[in-house]
Amino acid sequence: MKKYTYKNIGVDVYKHTCKNGLEVYMSPNKRVKSFYASLCIRYGSNDIVFKVDDELIEVPKGSAHFLEHKMFEQEDGITPFDFYSELGVDCNASTSYDRTSYIFFGSKNYTKSLKFLLDYVASPYFTLENVEKEKGIIKQEILMYEDEPGGKLFNRSLFNTYSKNNIRYLIGGKVSDIMKITKEDLYNIYNAFYEPENMYLVVTGNFDMKKTIEIAEKNKFKKKSKVSVIYPEEKLEVSKKYEEIKGNIVIPKFAINIKVNIKDLKDEIVEYKKYLSFYLETVLGPTSLLKEKLLNKHLITSDLSYELIRSHDYMSIIIMGETEKPEEVIKEIMKALKKFKFDLKEFNLNKKTLKSYYMDLSDNIFSINSFVTNQIFVRKEIVENMYLNVDKLNKKEYNRVISSVDFDNYSVVIMRK
Amino acid sequence: MNNIHIINDKIYKKNIIKINFERKANRDEVTRLNMLAHILLNSSKKYETPRKLLRETKELYDLGMSSYATNYGKITVLTFRFTFLRDEYSEKGNSLRSIDFIKELLFNPNAQNGKFNLKVFKQARDEVIDEIKAEAENKGAYSRRRMLEEMDKESPASINMSGDLKELKKITAKNLYELYLDVIKNSVIDVFSFGNTKESYFAFLKRKNQKRSSVTYESKERETKTVIEKDDINQSKLVLGFNLNGLKKEEEMYHLQVYLYLLGQGPNSKLFTEVREKESLCYNISASAKVVYSLMIITAGIDASKFKKTVSLIEEQVQKMKKGDFKKRDVDSAKLVIKSSYQELLEDPYSILRTYESNIYLGYDLVKKRLKKIDEVKMEDIVEVAKKVKLNTIYLLEGKKK
C-alpha cells in the first residue's frame, strides 16, 4: 500500500493494487460517520466501435448507459435497490461520455455494501425479456432530457462542432437507437471492458481500510483479452458553423463551441486547462469587463457560463448564455476573446479562487471522491502538489497557452422560441 | 429568545452565515422581496458596481453569497447566505473582513435621497424579469405550481417566489427602498452561524423580544378535481396533490417520513416498483410532502397516452397504504435509511443549519433526538397517517402522445 498526501489541504490517499489489477484508492476521514464508494469503469458512451482480439464490434449508440441500467438486474432477483435499501444504504449509477460509475453511500453496513457492489457489477444477467422491459423506462428518461432546453442546446452544439467524434451523439442515445439494443450487445461490451485493469475503486469517509483491501482482493472480475477502441478520425474544422434551432423557451439562448486540437498535449493538459479556465474567467466571468459592458447595455441579466470538454484529440470550449440579442452578444464575446491582454490582478485573483476551491474539497466526502476519481481517470496517479502548483502558474506559460488557441475555429447554435 | 444562533464547529474549513428576515407571507409583496434579494447583493455604497463588488468577494478567498425568498407556510423568509474560509485556511483576518463586507451589503445599500440608485435598480429588475420568464421553461416546477394553484388559490404554497410581471411594473426605486427600510426595521431577524464565529460579530443584527407567528396552513378537503393543460413537450408531467390535514407534530416529523419512504421515496417503494419497474410507465416517480401547507405531492414523468393507467395505479398504491398492506421488514429498512439520512445531515453544514431553522420555525427536534424517535414508529402509526391522506387534485401537463 502506498500513501499519498495532498499537501496543504490535509487529505491522505492510500493506494492498493489487487492481484488481478483492480486499483483501490482510499481516503479515510474519521471526523465523519458516513462513507462513499464509487467503482469507475473506463467505458462510456463514446466507445461505440472496438476490437476484441481480431474481431471488430460495433454497438448501438446509448449502449453504455443501457448497460448501466441493466447491471442492476440480478439472476436471483435481488437487485441492488432491494439489497441496499434493506441495509439502509443509498446506491446509484451514472454514465458519461467516457466512463460509467456505480456508487453507494451511507453510514452503516459498509463491508456488506462493498462486497455487494463488487459482486453485482461482476455478475451480469442480461436476458431478452429484461432488456425489452428496460426500453420503456429509458425511453421516458430520454424524453425527459429532450424537454430540457439547455441540454438540448448543449448537445446540438457538440453535434455541429464534430463530424465523426462520437461525442456528437447523446449519452443515452436516441429512442430509435435504444430500440436496437440487444442482450448480445450488452454482453459484448461487458466482456470487453468490465475487467479489473479497466476499472478502479475510490472510497472516502469513515471505513475500515484493512477490510476494504480484503474484500477488494476477493473481487471476481476476470482479466480479458486485449481490447482497443476505434475512434474515428476527426478534422480540425467544425462540422457546421452556424445553426438556428427552435426550443420551447422564453428567452433566446446561444452556445459557442470553440474547437481546439490538443493531440500533442500529455500530462500538461492539466495546467493547460487551468490557464484556459483562468482566461475564460477573466474575459467572460462575473468580474469581467465584458460582463459589466453587457449588463450596462441590458443585453444579459445572468452570468455567461463556460465549460471545457475533452474528447480524445480535441477539446471544446463551450460558452453559453441567454439574451434577447444573441448575435450582438456573440460578437462581443468573440471580440473580447481575441483581444488578449495579461492582467496581473485578475491572474492573482484566479489563483486565490482556485486555492479556495482545493481547500474546500476536503470538507466533503462526495467532492473529494469525485475529485480523486477524476484525477485518476485523467492522470492515472495522485498529484500531491496540486495546491502548491497553483503558485507555479505563470505569465509566460499563460501567454503561450492562450496565444496557441485559434479563437476563429468555432461553431454557433442559437435557440429561439 | 436570542436571535443569534451560533453553532460552533471545529471540523469544516468554512464559516456559513445565514441571515433571515421573516415576514407574513403576502402575495403582493413577494415580487418586491425578490427584487430586494437581487439588488442588495449587486452593489453597495462602497462597491458601486457588480464588478467591484464581486472582485472583493474574490479578494476574500472567493466568498460565496446568495439570496432568496422562501415560504415557510404562513411566513416568508428572505435569506442572505454567505460562506467564507476561516482564517486558519486562508489568512488572518479573513473572517472579520468578510463580516464587515456582509454588513456593508445589508446596511449600506447603493441609495440616496430615499431611493435606490437607478442604474442598479434597473439591473435588478432585468434580472427578476428573466427569472420570472425562465420559470415557464422549467416544466417540472411549472406543473407543480399549477397543480398547487388548482388545489387552493389562497394557499401560500401556490405563490411563485420569483414574483410576477404585473407586480413588477408597480415597483419603483423609491417604493423598493421603502420596503428595504421596513424589512430592516420590522422583520423578525434570525442569524444562523456555523463555524468559528462569536455572537459579538453579529451585534448589528441583535434583536430583543421578537414575536413569532404560527406557520402551518391547511387547505380544505373536497371532491377530486382533474385538470389537463397542453404543451409542446415530449414527456407529460403528472402531478397529484393530496390534503394531509390535522397531523400532530410526531406524525409530521416521524410517522409521515416512514409513510413517504414506503409509498414513494425508496427504490423499493410501492410507486417505484409497481409503476416504474413492473409497468415501465415512467423513469421518475416520487412522493413528497410539504407539511407546512398540510399537503403531499406525487409527481411522475409519463407518456400522455398512459395518463389514466398511471393515475389508477398510483391511487391503488395509496389505498394499499391505508389498508396497512406493507411489511414489517420494509418499515425496518425505511427506518434504517431515514436514520442514515439523519446521520448525513450531521455531516453537511448546510443541512445542520436547516435543522436549526426548522427547530426555530417549526419546533422540530434536532437530529440527536430524531435518531431515537424514528425507531419508535409503529405499523399502526403509519396506517393512521395513511388514512389522513386525501386526493384533492390531479394535474396533467399534456405533451405529445407517442
Side-chain angles (χ1 to χ4, degrees), chain A residues 136-160:
Chain A
I137 297 173
I138 297 184
K139 180 180 155 193
Q140 284 306 319
E141 186 180 359
I142 293 170
L143 292 179
M144 179 180 82
Y145 293 133
E146 274 180 20
D147 285 332
E148 284 170 14
K152 203 172 152 188
L153 177 66
F154 183 87
N155 288 323
R156 195 70 197 171
S157 171
L158 285 172
F159 187 80
N160 287 356

Side-chain angles (χ1 to χ4, degrees), chain B residues 225-238:
Chain B
K225 176 177 162 187
T226 303
V227 181
I228 298 177
E229 271 181 64
K230 286 194 195 304
D231 198 348
D232 182 24
I233 48 177
N234 291 302
Q235 189 192 57
S236 304
K237 306 282 178 200
L238 174 65

Side-chain angles (χ1 to χ4, degrees), chain A residues 341-356:
Chain A
K341 208 174 139 261
F342 183 77
D343 178 339
L344 183 67
K345 185 165 182 202
E346 284 291 336
F347 191 65
N348 287 333
L349 283 179
N350 282 326
K351 283 188 180 179
K352 240 179 177 174
T353 304
L354 183 58
K355 281 185 176 176
S356 171

Side-chain angles (χ1 to χ4, degrees), chain B residues 89-104:
Chain B
Y89 301 108
S90 49
E91 62 183 65
K92 202 165 180 292
N94 195 54
S95 296
L96 279 176
R97 271 204 300 282
S98 298
I99 303 238
D100 276 345
F101 177 74
I102 293 169
K103 193 174 169 186
E104 162 75 20

Side-chain angles (χ1 to χ4, degrees), chain A residues 33-34 281 287 298 362, chain B residues 13 51 58 126 130 137 347:
Chain A
K33 287 205 173 129
S34 47
E281 179 70 14
T287 56
H298 300 278
S362 62
Chain B
K13 291 176 178 166
R51 180 163 189 256
K58 288 189 175 175
D126 284 354
D130 281 4
E137 290 173 16
E347 287 167 12

Side-chain angles (χ1 to χ4, degrees), chain A residues 314-331:
Chain A
Y314 289 90
M315 187 159 66
S316 275
I317 304 171
I318 303 181
I319 301 160
M320 292 172 69
E322 286 187 349
T323 168
E324 291 297 338
K325 294 178 181 163
E327 286 88 351
E328 204 176 330
V329 172
I330 291 167
K331 218 170 112 193

Side-chain angles (χ1 to χ4, degrees), chain A residues 345-373:
Chain A
K345 185 165 182 202
E346 284 291 336
F347 191 65
N348 287 333
L349 283 179
N350 282 326
K351 283 188 180 179
K352 240 179 177 174
T353 304
L354 183 58
K355 281 185 176 176
S356 171
Y357 164 73
Y358 285 147
M359 220 18 126
D360 204 22
L361 272 179
S362 62
D363 272 355
N364 184 313
I365 62 168
F366 298 93
S367 324
I368 195 74
N369 195 299
S370 71
F371 186 83
V372 172
T373 301

Side-chain angles (χ1 to χ4, degrees), chain A residues 59-112:
Chain A
V59 293
K61 293 166 194 118
S63 293
H65 172 251
F66 202 103
L67 183 133
E68 170 232 298
H69 269 240
K70 279 301 48 156
M71 213 57 245
F72 275 49
E73 203 77 55
Q74 295 292 296
E75 194 168 1
D76 58 9
I78 300 173
T79 71
F81 288 140
D82 300 325
F83 184 85
Y84 285 111
S85 59
E86 200 134 312
L87 294 185
V89 171
D90 274 307
C91 68
N92 212 338
S94 65
T95 308
S96 68
Y97 294 115
D98 52 16
R99 67 193 92 159
T100 312
S101 296
Y102 299 88
I103 61 133
F104 69 80
F105 62 96
S107 54
K108 272 199 183 111
N109 296 317
Y110 169 74
T111 43
K112 278 186 200 162

